[in-house]
Amino acid sequence: MNFNLKSNLKKVLSKYKILLIIIVILIFSIRIINSVYIFNYKYNENKIPLSMNLSIISKEKESETYVSYLTKLNYKEGYKDKFLLYIYMDKKNKENISDFINKHNKYKYGDIICVKGKIVYPNKLNNLHEFDYKLYLNSKDIVASIMTVDSIKISENKFSLIKYVNNFKENIENKIDDKIPEKEGNLFKSMVYGNDKNLDENIKKNFTKLGLSHLIAVSGSNVSIVLVIIKYILTKIKVKENKSNIISVIFVYLFCILCNFEISVIRASLMICIVLIFPFKINKYILMCVTIFIMLYLNPYVIFNISFILSFIATFGIVLFNKRIFSFFNLLLVKIFKLEY
């Protein structure tokens, strides 16, 4: 059956090859035009403070002067486009700064808040070699920032799978904070699911100096570990392969939510899900191309994200040189331990 499906698919692809190429080009062209419009022109007319309803996605940062959230803006067609919300303390406000921060740092996923603020785009670069913050935000599917000095919660968050996973993550983080010292606990969060928001700057610098910064960033290896554990458990309880694949895909998606859909995690998860769902074996290079296509369709600006670029370069290198790498380590083990085949 798998062989027939594969042969039929090859026939269809060879017969309609040109048509498929034209369709793909058209899809990409429309998607790119739409993305350019959203990230550069859609909200440009809003240069005065506006009253806006925002849906909270996640808390980003809490400092001595502001609280920031990743949010979705309700603009005509509903809660869709992402913005970074910065809630600053007004200079005229006589409230204590700690009380102000405590007042605005309790929003959770799905909460709807009303703010009066201004949409702010990062300044254009004067230096070609300067870090392009706007392009970085766009590559993470974020349009711009919203600045405000106050916010009002207008509705509670409704039940959803993402909300449930976020609540689970928050409970786990609270237990980690109770049981493990602050520095070590934040390092643990960063290594397991990429939450490095409160990671000590000295730890970051030390990992970078040692060339081990990839260990404190969530990546495809984390997804692989989750998959291996789930597959092992399902094999032990003798779940059939088809059901096992479906359950594995669900757990991979849940891990993506846990990691706030980091680009490297999305890349690894897509590749794993395609392999698990497809009824026949896929060539590794075709698998990578399909994954790139899906990610670029979701957000063409992701091509400017260094995580996206390095993730695929590293994966391509592993696929291309894996046999040579294993051969090298086999020979090394033979020389060290004087093993014989």
Side-chain angles (χ1 to χ4, degrees):
M1 184 179 174
N2 288 350
F3 179 77
N4 291 333
L5 184 62
K6 191 174 181 179
S7 60
N8 290 335
L9 186 61
K10 281 184 177 180
K11 286 177 183 178
V12 171
L13 289 174
S14 60
K15 187 177 180 180
Y16 299 102
K17 182 168 62 177
I18 296 173
L19 180 62
L20 287 170
I21 291 170
I22 293 169
I23 291 170
V24 168
I25 292 170
L26 283 172
I27 290 171
F28 263 118
S29 300
I30 293 167
R31 190 71 182 102
I32 289 168
I33 292 166
N34 184 55
S35 296
V36 170
Y37 166 69
I38 291 170
F39 292 137
N40 297 283
Y41 303 106
K42 185 175 179 179
Y43 301 95
N44 244 343
E45 72 235 25
N46 300 327
K47 295 181 179 178
I48 59 171
L50 300 169
S51 181
M52 295 173 278
N53 288 345
L54 300 166
S55 175
I56 300 294
I57 297 175
S58 64
K59 184 178 175 182
E60 290 297 297
K61 194 173 181 181
E62 178 185 326
S63 76
E64 295 178 354
T65 56
Y66 69 87
V67 182
S68 65
Y69 290 91
L70 181 60
T71 65
K72 287 183 181 180
L73 173 64
N74 186 359
Y75 184 83
K76 295 180 182 178
E77 66 269 20
Y79 296 98
K80 191 174 180 182
D81 299 327
K82 295 179 184 177
F83 286 82
L84 279 177
L85 172 68
Y86 290 89
I87 308 173
Y88 286 91
M89 184 172 178
D90 192 350
K91 292 179 181 178
K92 298 177 183 178
N93 192 344
K94 295 181 181 180
E95 190 177 10
N96 184 280
I97 185 66
S98 60
D99 293 336
F100 174 83
I101 297 296
N102 290 332
K103 179 183 174 184
H104 296 285
N105 71 351
K106 297 176 181 178
Y107 301 136
K108 296 182 180 181
Y109 177 87
D111 285 345
I112 307 298
I113 62 171
C114 180
V115 305
K116 188 174 183 181
K118 186 177 179 182
I119 294 174
V120 179
Y121 286 86
N123 294 326
K124 291 184 179 179
L125 296 179
N126 295 319
N127 184 347
L128 291 173
H129 302 288
E130 190 180 349
F131 175 68
D132 194 329
Y133 184 60
K134 182 182 182 305
L135 208 57
Y136 168 75
L137 288 181
N138 296 161
S139 73
K140 293 178 77 83
D141 207 25
I142 300 169
V143 179
S145 301
I146 295 174
M147 306 296 180
T148 186
V149 293
D150 200 7
S151 61
I152 303 169
K153 187 174 178 179
I154 58 176
S155 71
E156 295 288 336
N157 46 10
K158 296 178 181 178
F159 177 81
S160 69
L161 180 62
I162 296 177
K163 178 203 165 186
Y164 181 81
V165 174
N166 282 324
N167 287 344
F168 171 77
K169 181 169 74 171
E170 188 177 340
N171 291 333
I172 293 296
E173 287 184 345
N174 289 336
K175 288 181 180 179
I176 290 170
D177 293 337
D178 290 338
K179 302 293 182 182
I180 306 175
E182 185 180 358
K183 284 186 179 180
E184 290 79 0
N186 290 330
L187 178 61
F188 177 80
K189 295 173 196 174
S190 180
M191 295 181 77
V192 175
Y193 54 89
N195 182 4
D196 61 351
K197 292 170 187 174
N198 299 314
L199 187 62
D200 186 78
E201 288 298 324
N202 289 327
I203 292 176
K204 286 183 182 180
K205 288 177 183 177
N206 290 334
F207 270 86
T208 303
K209 285 178 183 178
L210 293 168
L212 298 172
S213 55
H214 59 281
L215 293 177
I216 54 173
V218 68
S219 64
S221 59
N222 300 65
V223 184
S224 300
I225 291 167
V226 170
L227 182 67
V228 168
I229 293 169
I230 297 301
K231 277 287 188 181
Y232 176 78
I233 294 169
L234 294 173
T235 303
K236 284 293 181 182
I237 59 177
K238 297 180 180 179
V239 177
K240 291 182 179 179
E241 189 177 358
N242 290 339
K243 290 182 179 179
S244 173
N245 289 343
I246 293 168
I247 294 168
S248 298
V249 168
I250 292 168
F251 272 94
V252 167
Y253 176 69
L254 293 175
F255 187 72
C256 282
I257 298 173
L258 200 69
C259 300
N260 291 326
F261 295 98
E262 287 291 333
I263 288 172
S264 56
V265 174
I266 293 173
R267 188 270 309 159
S269 300
L270 277 173
M271 293 180 75
I272 287 169
C273 290
I274 291 167
V275 170
L276 292 175
I277 292 169
F278 267 63
F280 52 83
K281 191 175 181 180
I282 306 172
N283 180 279
K284 293 174 183 177
Y285 299 105
I286 293 174
L287 176 62
M288 287 180 65
C289 291
V290 171
T291 307
I292 291 169
F293 173 83
I294 293 170
M295 291 187 72
L296 287 176
Y297 175 76
L298 293 172
N299 179 13
Y301 275 74
V302 78
I303 193 69
F304 300 110
N305 191 290
I306 193 66
S307 295
F308 174 84
I309 296 167
L310 293 178
S311 183
F312 275 102
I313 289 174
T315 306
F316 180 77
I318 291 168
V319 171
L320 189 62
F321 299 110
N322 67 332
K323 290 182 180 178
R324 293 181 183 180
I325 292 168
F326 280 116
S327 298
F328 170 76
F329 279 108
N330 282 335
L331 289 171
L332 197 64
L333 288 171
V334 168
K335 286 183 179 179
I336 293 171
F337 298 105
K338 296 179 181 180
L339 299 173
E340 293 183 3
Y341 289 105

